[in-house]
């Protein structure tokens, strides 16, 4: 049945067009997702570079601070050591102070400053260690992000290839279905024209048959009358006529 075949092809074409549209939208969405991931990767790389520069500056500053403070600490230790030795050599102007008093005083003065410097050095070391740990964590997080993003981009790229191949196949099927539909429509048109010609021919035959039948009836009637005349059945009526 060509009419049924036509309807089936129309339904198939509609289904293929919907599938192709859905595949096109899916491919466009995947491309957009990949583009966004690439933007995020670029931004993450820029942020990581900035963070690393800050880390390098922080570590450099803290190490420089430690070096300077260690030099200051060594200088003060030498200075207070020499000062204490000098005071011990000087003769006391009045009654001698209680044993150990002057030494304690000098130790108290030098100890407070040196302890403060040592504490600053300790804090600088702790800040350096914290900066290193933070840098290591940030670098690992960045590397994990890059790895996961690249894997996702690769998977989406493969999905685009698969969907593109499927889309190409559906587009080929759509072309074939449309060509088949045109063929069926042409056949239906030819059948319609044939039916019209056949109907026209049938009408002619029927009409011609009726005319021929009428003529035949008239011929039969004429022959019948002629036969009656020849047989003398209506000879008198013929003469009167």
């Amino acid at each position: 049945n060509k009419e049924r075949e036509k309807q089936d092809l129309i339904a198939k074409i509609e289904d293929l067009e919907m599938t192709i549209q859905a595949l096109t939208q899916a491919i466009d969405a995947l491309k957009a997702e990949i583009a966004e991931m690439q933007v995020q990767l670029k931004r993450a790389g820029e942020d990581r570079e900035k963070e690393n520069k800050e880390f390098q500056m922080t570590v450099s500053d803290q190490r420089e601070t430690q070096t300077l403070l260690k030099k200051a600490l060594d200088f003060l230790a030498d200075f207070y050591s020499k000062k204490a030795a000098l005071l011990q050599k000087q003769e006391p102007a009045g009654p001698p102070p209680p044993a150990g008093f002057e030494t304690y005083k000098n130790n108290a003065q030098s100890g407070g400053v040196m302890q403060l410097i040592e504490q600053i050095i300790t804090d600088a070391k702790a800040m350096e260690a914290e900066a290193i740990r933070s840098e290591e964590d940030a670098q690992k997080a960045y590397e994990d992000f890059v790895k996961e993003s690249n894997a996702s981009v690769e998977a989406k790229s493969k999905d685009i290839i698969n969907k593109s191949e499927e889309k190409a196949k559906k587009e080929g099927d759509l072309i074939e279905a449309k060509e088949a539909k045109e063929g069926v429509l042409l056949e239906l048109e030819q059948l319609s024209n044939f039916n019209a010609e056949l109907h026209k021919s049938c009408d002619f035959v029927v009409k011609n048959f009726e005319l021929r039948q009428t003529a035949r009836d008239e011929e039969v009637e004429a022959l019948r009358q002629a036969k009656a005349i020849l047989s003398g059945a209506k000879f008198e009526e013929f003469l009167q006529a």
Side-chain angles (χ1 to χ4, degrees):
N1 189 319
K2 291 297 177 181
E3 187 63 33
R4 176 63 181 273
E5 186 177 352
K6 183 187 79 170
Q7 296 301 324
D8 290 343
L9 286 169
I10 290 174
K12 182 178 181 179
I13 289 170
E14 291 177 352
D15 181 66
L16 286 169
E17 288 176 340
M18 290 178 62
T19 301
I20 291 171
Q21 182 180 9
L23 286 169
T24 300
Q25 292 174 347
I27 291 169
D28 290 342
L30 287 168
K31 288 180 178 178
E33 291 172 6
I34 289 175
E36 178 61 24
M37 285 184 178
Q38 290 172 338
V39 170
Q40 294 296 330
L41 280 169
K42 184 175 182 293
R43 188 174 301 166
E46 293 171 350
D47 291 344
R48 181 83 281 275
E49 184 178 358
K50 182 180 178 181
E51 291 172 354
N52 183 260
K53 287 181 179 179
E54 293 176 353
F55 160 73
Q56 297 292 346
M57 289 179 61
T58 298
V59 170
S60 178
D61 289 345
Q62 297 307 315
R63 288 177 178 175
E64 184 177 355
T65 298
Q66 293 173 51
T67 300
L68 292 174
L69 289 177
K70 285 179 180 178
K71 290 181 179 179
L73 190 63
D74 292 341
F75 174 80
L76 289 175
D78 183 63
F79 172 76
Y80 285 120
S81 176
K82 290 180 180 179
K83 183 179 180 181
L86 181 61
L87 289 174
Q88 288 178 357
K89 291 180 180 179
Q90 291 179 353
E91 291 289 333
F101 178 77
E102 189 64 28
T103 301
Y104 171 77
K105 182 179 179 182
N106 289 331
N107 288 339
Q109 291 176 348
S110 62
V113 175
M114 293 176 71
Q115 285 178 1
L116 178 60
I117 293 175
E118 288 174 347
Q119 183 61 49
I120 295 174
I121 292 174
T122 300
D123 293 343
K125 287 181 178 180
M127 187 174 293
E128 177 188 350
E130 178 62 28
I132 292 173
R133 284 194 297 272
S134 297
E135 170 65 13
E136 290 174 348
D137 291 343
Q139 181 64 25
K140 185 178 184 305
Y142 170 71
E143 290 174 356
D144 290 343
F145 174 72
V146 170
K147 183 178 179 181
E148 292 173 2
S149 297
N150 287 335
S152 181
V153 167
E154 183 179 358
K156 292 180 185 298
S157 297
K158 289 181 179 178
D159 198 11
I160 287 176
I161 292 173
N162 293 334
K163 282 182 168 56
S164 297
E165 291 176 351
E166 183 181 358
K167 179 184 173 183
K169 183 179 182 303
K170 296 295 182 183
E171 288 173 339
D173 293 342
L174 179 61
I175 292 173
E176 292 179 0
K178 287 183 176 181
E179 290 176 349
K181 175 189 169 185
E182 292 300 321
V184 170
L185 290 176
L186 180 60
E187 289 185 35
L188 286 171
E189 183 180 0
Q190 291 174 343
L191 286 173
S192 177
N193 293 335
F194 176 76
N195 288 335
E197 289 295 329
L198 183 61
H199 189 271
K200 184 177 179 181
S201 298
C202 290
D203 289 343
F204 173 78
V205 170
V206 170
K207 184 176 181 180
N208 189 52
F209 174 78
E210 291 175 351
L211 291 173
R212 292 179 64 183
Q213 185 67 34
T214 300
R216 182 179 178 79
D217 290 343
E218 291 176 353
E219 290 176 358
V220 170
E221 179 62 23
L223 289 172
R224 188 182 65 77
Q225 291 180 0
K227 182 179 180 181
I229 292 172
L230 292 174
S231 62
K234 293 184 178 181
F235 185 71
E236 294 180 355
E237 293 179 4
F238 177 74
L239 291 176
Q240 291 178 356

